[in-house]
């Protein structure tokens, strides 16, 4: 009960910030969220919420609504790019009955969290751009207004001002990969599974959303040059179609539906060395932006938010903050290392190597399907809601 009546400022109203706000409010804290945007809303895109992230949504009391508006994933299917033949199938029906893997529209998750924080009595202040954060529990807005609290949480994403306060600037580097994202109508009868279409130097992930009537696409291509890292770039759909022109199966029909795709340069950042200090803590992308190749960025933000609230409530601010960092850093670093390693596996260029690798995967998937899924137990089986007592 250490957080009862404590004043908390959360910088950033994304998935991590809203989750932390709700978890702390449920423990009696007086919480204000400062969000730079004019509204709490998200660009159209999908998210895979795996069992480890879903446990947090469940513990917050929101899983029923999320499940009702999402698609439950039944499999992850790795496919060869030429005709879409399946190379390996991870059967998600083999997950224990209490676990589920959901395909979620980001806007739906944000709306669910935003309604829940407001209903719980969190103050959400929009159009509030934070320009400076101090370890003493103070933030400064671009209007020069200064606010103080018992605790500040930096949940301000990729270009975090809070991260700088604790770590100085970092030096991200371009990974040589860009990602297009789009949502299209489900014109191919896409089943409730995530498909990874693997080609030389590129891959495309597709999965259905909401009632199955839409399909989320993430298409990754290796590239030499890129300028800025950010979420707001658009591209002409013909560039996407040209990059994936050699792909067969369902891919051409889905790409024909794309109108205005987003385009991201994928950068690698080191995991922040320091996640907390004084009266300041970091979570989510502010502490550890990840490449999307394990679909865990939002799931890690959910886990962080729960762990932070639970540690603070159990031990108070002074002792709870270092406990939070100790609980989270190694797990997050492992997730990020696995995500970093995945891209080249999907992108094998040499046809002989690719053929052999796909053959090996196919054999393994047939003789030991349980083992294929079992290698993710450390990730999906983890329950952050039981990690702090
Ligand atoms: P964000 O969601 O970035 O939220 C930060 C918030 O802070 C924003 O609302 C922003 O406006 C606000 N803000 C920023 N600066 C300021 C400021 N100075 N003042 C006030 N407010 C500020 N993750 C998954 O788990 N599953 C997936 O399937 C998945 N797919 C992905 C696919 C792609 C192509 C990419 C690029 C990412 C994907 N992710 C996925 C990762 C996931 O989107 C992020 O990790 C997650 O959104 C991080 O949440 P966050 O709350 O930390 O940050």
């Amino acid at each position: 009960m250490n957080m009862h009546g404590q004043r908390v400022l959360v910088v950033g109203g994304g998935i991590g910030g809203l989750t932390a706000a709700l978890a702390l409010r449920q423990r009696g804290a007086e919480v204000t969220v400062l969000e730079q945007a004019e509204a709490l809303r998200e660009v159209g895109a999908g998210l895979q919420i795996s069992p480890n992230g879903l446990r947090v949504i469940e513990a917050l009391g929101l899983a029923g609504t999320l499940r009702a508006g999402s698609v439950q994933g039944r499999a992850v299917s790795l496919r060869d790019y030429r005709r879409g033949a399946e190379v390996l199938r991870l059967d998600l029906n083999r997950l224990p009955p209490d676990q589920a893997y959901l395909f979620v529209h980001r806007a739906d998750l944000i709306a669910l969290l935003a309604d829940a924080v407001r209903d719980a009595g969190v103050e959400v202040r929009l159009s509030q751009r934070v320009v400076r954060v101090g370890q003493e529990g103070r933030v400064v807005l671009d209007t020069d207004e200064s606010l103080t609290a018992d605790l500040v949480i930096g949940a301000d994403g990729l270009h975090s001002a809070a991260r700088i306060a604790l770590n100085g600037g970092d030096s991200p580097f371009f990974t040589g990969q860009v990602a297009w994202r789009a949502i299209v109508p489900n014109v191919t009868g896409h089943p409730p599974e995530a498909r990874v279409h693997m080609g030389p130097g590129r891959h495309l992930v597709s999965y259905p959303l909401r009632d199955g009537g839409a399909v989320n696409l993430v298409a990754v291509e290796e590239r030499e040059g890129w300028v800025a890292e950010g979420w707001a770039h658009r591209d002409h759909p013909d560039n996407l179609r040209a990059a994936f022109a050699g792909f067969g199966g369902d891919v051409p029909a889905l790409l024909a539906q794309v109108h205005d795709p987003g385009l991201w340069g994928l950068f690698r950042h080191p995991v922040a060395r320091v996640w907390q200090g004084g009266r300041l803590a970091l979570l989510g992308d502010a502490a550890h932006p990840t490449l999307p190749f394990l679909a865990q960025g939002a799931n890690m933000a959910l886990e962080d938010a729960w762990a932070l609230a639970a540690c603070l409530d159990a031990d108070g601010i002074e002792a709870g903050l270092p406990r939070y960092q100790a609980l989270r850093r190694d797990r997050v670093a492992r997730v990020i290392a696995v995500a970093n390693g995945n891209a080249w596996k999907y992108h094998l260029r040499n046809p002989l190597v690719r053929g052999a690798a796909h053959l090996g995967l196919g054999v393994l998937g047939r003789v030991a399907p349980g083992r294929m899924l079992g290698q993710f137990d450390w990730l999906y089986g983890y329950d952050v809601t039981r990690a702090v007592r």
Side-chain angles (χ1 to χ4, degrees):
M1 294 295 285
N2 279 304
M3 289 310 286
H4 203 272
Q6 298 284 314
R7 293 169 308 121
V8 179
L9 282 173
V10 179
V11 183
I15 292 165
L18 292 176
T19 303
L22 185 58
L24 283 164
R25 180 70 198 135
Q26 289 180 345
R27 289 164 175 79
E30 300 295 327
V31 186
T32 302
V33 174
L34 303 170
E35 166 57 47
Q36 66 184 358
E38 291 163 14
L40 291 182
R41 62 167 173 253
E42 269 290 336
V43 289
L47 275 179
Q48 302 177 49
I49 297 297
S50 48
N52 51 310
L54 189 56
R55 283 190 191 96
V56 174
I57 306 280
E58 254 155 27
L60 293 170
L62 303 175
T65 318
L66 190 68
R67 277 170 177 257
S70 310
V71 173
Q72 180 161 350
R74 298 297 174 185
V76 177
S77 167
L78 304 193
R79 297 176 166 249
D80 185 70
Y81 74 105
R82 279 161 298 195
R83 282 188 297 280
E86 187 169 81
V87 172
L88 176 73
R89 189 171 185 81
L90 278 183
D91 184 359
L92 296 175
N93 292 316
R94 288 173 172 270
L95 285 170
D98 61 331
Q99 297 187 22
Y101 198 104
L102 301 184
F103 304 142
V104 176
H105 199 299
R106 287 175 74 97
D108 296 346
L109 179 55
I110 288 287
L112 180 66
L113 289 167
D115 286 349
V117 297
R118 287 185 171 120
D119 289 350
V122 169
E123 185 192 2
V124 178
R125 289 179 55 174
L126 301 170
S127 304
Q128 308 286 305
R129 186 168 157 65
V130 171
V131 290
R132 249 189 343 276
V133 178
Q135 289 192 37
E136 72 288 10
R138 197 165 74 95
V139 306
V140 180
L141 303 177
D142 60 356
T143 53
D144 279 340
E145 186 187 350
S146 169
L147 304 165
T148 56
D150 298 309
L151 179 73
V152 174
I153 296 177
D156 47 347
L158 208 52
H159 303 291
S160 166
R163 175 176 175 136
I164 291 173
L166 287 169
N167 294 273
D170 72 356
S171 31
F173 64 90
F174 180 53
T175 59
Q177 291 155 331
V178 295
W180 287 270
R181 298 211 295 189
I183 293 181
V184 298
N186 187 354
V187 291
T188 59
H190 198 303
E193 59 191 36
R195 292 183 166 176
V196 185
H197 311 262
M198 305 176 292
R202 65 209 67 207
H203 77 272
L204 183 143
V205 180
S206 58
Y207 52 85
L209 291 174
R210 290 185 168 153
D211 60 357
V215 173
N216 186 68
L217 301 176
V218 179
V220 176
E221 181 197 35
E222 291 175 10
R223 247 198 216 179
E224 302 236 310
W226 182 259
V227 269
E229 181 182 30
W231 296 83
H233 307 282
R234 314 304 302 178
D235 195 21
H236 195 285
D238 285 348
N239 295 333
L240 167 58
R241 286 189 272 269
F244 286 80
F247 280 52
D250 288 348
V251 171
L254 291 168
L255 290 183
Q257 300 294 321
V258 176
H259 294 301
D260 183 28
L263 179 64
W264 286 263
L266 298 180
F267 284 68
R268 236 159 92 176
H269 299 248
V271 175
R273 203 171 39 80
V274 184
W275 290 30
Q276 54 81 34
R279 295 183 173 276
L280 175 60
L282 304 178
L283 61 73
D285 279 8
H288 48 75
T290 171
L291 294 175
F293 306 135
L294 196 60
Q296 282 297 314
N299 287 295
M300 288 301 112
L302 289 167
E303 285 188 8
D304 284 353
W306 183 276
L308 177 60
C311 287
L312 292 169
D313 204 36
D315 295 352
I317 292 173
E318 200 177 325
L321 286 179
R323 184 177 178 193
Y324 158 69
Q325 172 165 339
L327 184 69
R328 295 301 300 155
R329 200 172 180 282
D330 287 353
R331 174 168 168 81
V332 167
R334 181 176 181 192
V335 165
I336 288 177
V338 175
N340 290 344
N342 269 356
W344 72 267
K345 291 184 192 157
Y346 296 154
H347 290 185
L348 293 174
R349 284 177 189 276
N350 180 317
L352 279 178
V353 176
R354 199 175 59 244
H358 287 185
L359 193 65
L361 279 175
V363 169
L364 195 58
R366 275 191 298 281
V367 298
R371 221 172 84 206
M372 290 306 293
L373 193 60
Q375 51 172 324
F376 294 107
D377 277 352
W378 66 275
L379 181 57
Y380 301 151
Y382 180 76
D383 186 350
V384 72
T385 69
R386 289 168 179 266
V388 186
R389 288 285 172 211

